[in-house]
Amino acid sequence: MDGTADIGLIGLGVMGANLSLNIAEKGHRIAVFNRTAARTEAFLENAGALRSNIVPCYTIADLAAAIRPPRPVIVMVQAGKAVDEQIALLRGVLSDNDIIIDAGNANFRDTMRRFDELKSTGLTFIGMGVSGGEEGARNGPSIMVGGREESWKRVEAVLTAIAARYKGEPCAAWLGENGAGHFVKTIHNGIEYADMQMIAEIYGLMRDGLGMPAREIGEVFAGWNKGRLNSYLIEITAAVLAAEDPETGQPVVDIILDRAGQKGTGRWSVIEAQTMGVPATAIEAAVAARVISGMRGERLAAERVYGKATARLDGDPATSLRDMELALLAGKIAAYAQGFAVMDAASNEFGWGLPLPTVARIWRAGCIIRSQFLDAIAEAFAAAGSADNLLMAPSFVAMMKEAHPSLRRIVARASEAGLPVPALSSALAYFDAYRQGRGTTNLVQAQRDFFGAHGFERLDADGAFHGPWSSAAQHGDPKQV
Ligand code: 6PG
């Protein structure tokens, strides 16, 4: 006899458990399975009244039997090998048209492989990015779906019911075939890295350049959260800076070791950007900053050798803070422009047809980078009708014109004081290079031609040419100057 559950879920870790409760709460019956039965028991005990919508299963065969066909099963286990193991097990118990949904932070290349591997089995596959952490999973995440559109149609009702809402619109969407959803989630995280790093850099300038205590810095961020920087990340930054360690009474942030972890999605964003030849320098700088943060021993040794940067940011602190707010806005625009440009390139490369306005729309609520700013991005892309760089959208041109002088001043002052601002300065360098009509790679082309006879184009004539520099460079097809 077929089961009665609408959907199944494997993996009752923090994200899986909260997603299950969210699904049960929205009136969908969910069958759950976890490798260790004790966790399933503990989950049920905490489910309260939602228990009536939850079917606990203690084998994977029971899980399959508990779901009404065609069976959608969410796999929420650690990305990598564990996903392949669960898929192998599910292949033994599922039947034609059932859908396996990987909701972890998978590398989209694994998702593409899994999609292909399952093609001939009668099962279908969805790679689903879920953002919002524990709280989002429980009360409304942002959901980025990749796979066949008909697979999405079969799970759309459940997924839109559990997703976050922005002014009533659900933050869940089908974005394209196979790896599209996981790719978009990866870039979401890459942007998240850049956003967090730039906030941390500004925090550093207030701490080390203006000598402000954590509590005061928190108040500044709380103020900014009421303006154009309003976002979840600024909001939690203010909350974090206000928190005190109950043991010592010190601000918690002052006793946290300055060594940041990373699980891979930021790095994947950079690798894919490089592979496609799209500059994502702010994201790259943010990933590198986490790597350098891990080299604590070397940093301390180098500080002993070179000395600590002791210079303060001079001038009126209130003016500096106003500049910092705008600098953060300008840096953010450049970082988001990069992230969206990477998605646009991937969309062409993999034939996904990624709807960039929709991506921005489903990031407006639920996810970690949620903000009003994304509403402006959604509008800009929708109005453009094509995926021009965000820096060219009229509303962003106006914002950038207003904000980039502040970014320039802040980066200049930080570097004079010896305070590192790698993501902000990369964002500025990207902007300056992007808007420079006559760059300097004419010299690079000349150098390449000199040592490698690579040829160059001329401003005043069509075709490929060689320079008059040496006999070594004067061979091959291109004409001599
Ligand atoms: C989200 C987060 C989530 C998680 C990542 C962060 O969107 O909900 O991005 O996916 O926090 O694990 O990655 P790092 O551990 O690499 O910082």
Side-chain angles (χ1 to χ4, degrees), residues 105 131-133 185 188-189 192-193 262-265 290 368:
N105 267 337
S131 178
K185 175 67 205 310
H188 165 281
N189 282 23
E192 172 186 304
Y193 272 52
Q262 53 175 322
K263 295 200 206 71
T265 43
R290 289 201 195 183
I368 301 296

Side-chain angles (χ1 to χ4, degrees), residues 352-392:
W352 288 326
L354 285 181
L356 296 186
T358 304
V359 171
R361 266 185 218 116
I362 62 171
W363 286 353
R364 289 177 303 182
C367 67
I368 301 296
I369 62 170
R370 61 186 181 256
S371 65
Q372 282 176 11
F373 181 74
L374 278 154
D375 195 35
I377 296 182
E379 274 177 27
F381 279 126
S386 74
D388 270 343
N389 190 300
L390 188 64
L391 285 170
M392 296 303 284

Side-chain angles (χ1 to χ4, degrees), residues 45 47 85 112 159 162 171 186 208 219 269 307 313 320-321 327 353 402 472:
E45 263 165 42
E85 286 165 5
M112 310 253 282
L159 297 182
I162 64 167
C171 293
T186 296
D208 303 328
E219 283 162 12
S269 301
L313 299 181
S320 296
L321 290 176
E402 179 193 350

Side-chain angles (χ1 to χ4, degrees), residues 421-436:
V421 285
L424 289 169
S425 56
S426 301
L428 177 64
Y430 169 76
F431 170 70
D432 282 341
Y434 185 74
R435 64 98 185 247
Q436 186 180 35

Side-chain angles (χ1 to χ4, degrees), residues 166-403:
Y166 182 86
K167 295 187 179 160
E169 260 184 71
C171 293
W174 174 74
L175 300 173
E177 292 275 319
N178 52 61
H182 275 146
F183 187 86
V184 170
K185 175 67 205 310
T186 296
I187 300 303
H188 165 281
N189 282 23
I191 294 173
E192 172 186 304
Y193 272 52
D195 221 334
M196 292 166 74
Q197 174 63 24
M198 290 190 292
I199 293 172
E201 289 171 12
I202 293 289
Y203 151 75
L205 296 183
M206 288 191 228
R207 185 189 68 183
D208 303 328
L210 298 178
M212 290 167 64
R215 193 183 34 78
E216 274 178 33
I217 302 175
E219 283 162 12
V220 172
F221 279 108
W224 290 353
N225 197 40
K226 298 193 184 99
R228 279 186 290 181
L229 289 175
N230 171 266
S231 63
Y232 174 70
L233 283 172
I234 294 284
E235 180 191 326
I236 65 163
T237 302
V240 160
L241 286 160
E244 274 183 10
D245 175 39
E247 306 256 304
T248 61
Q250 279 181 266
V252 182
V253 78
D254 287 350
I255 54 170
I256 296 179
L257 195 66
D258 53 334
R259 189 157 63 194
Q262 53 175 322
K263 295 200 206 71
T265 43
R267 190 165 44 225
W268 297 341
S269 301
V270 174
I271 291 171
E272 296 305 335
Q274 289 281 7
T275 305
M276 288 181 298
V278 181
T281 52
I283 301 174
E284 203 174 311
V287 174
R290 289 201 195 183
V291 177
I292 292 181
S293 84
M295 298 156 54
R296 186 158 182 266
E298 282 182 61
R299 286 191 287 116
L300 289 169
E303 187 178 81
R304 281 193 295 275
V305 171
Y306 288 102
K308 207 180 163 91
T310 46
R312 287 288 172 97
L313 299 181
D314 45 18
D316 169 37
T319 312
S320 296
L321 290 176
R322 265 197 303 280
D323 251 358
M324 285 182 200
E325 182 179 10
L326 278 178
L328 204 43
L329 181 68
K332 191 167 163 141
I333 293 171
Y336 280 65
Q338 293 177 354
F340 276 88
V342 175
M343 285 190 285
D344 186 43
S347 178
N348 292 332
E349 173 114 359
F350 299 102
W352 288 326
L354 285 181
L356 296 186
T358 304
V359 171
R361 266 185 218 116
I362 62 171
W363 286 353
R364 289 177 303 182
C367 67
I368 301 296
I369 62 170
R370 61 186 181 256
S371 65
Q372 282 176 11
F373 181 74
L374 278 154
D375 195 35
I377 296 182
E379 274 177 27
F381 279 126
S386 74
D388 270 343
N389 190 300
L390 188 64
L391 285 170
M392 296 303 284
S395 51
F396 282 82
V397 171
M399 262 190 267
M400 201 60 180
K401 279 189 172 170
E402 179 193 350

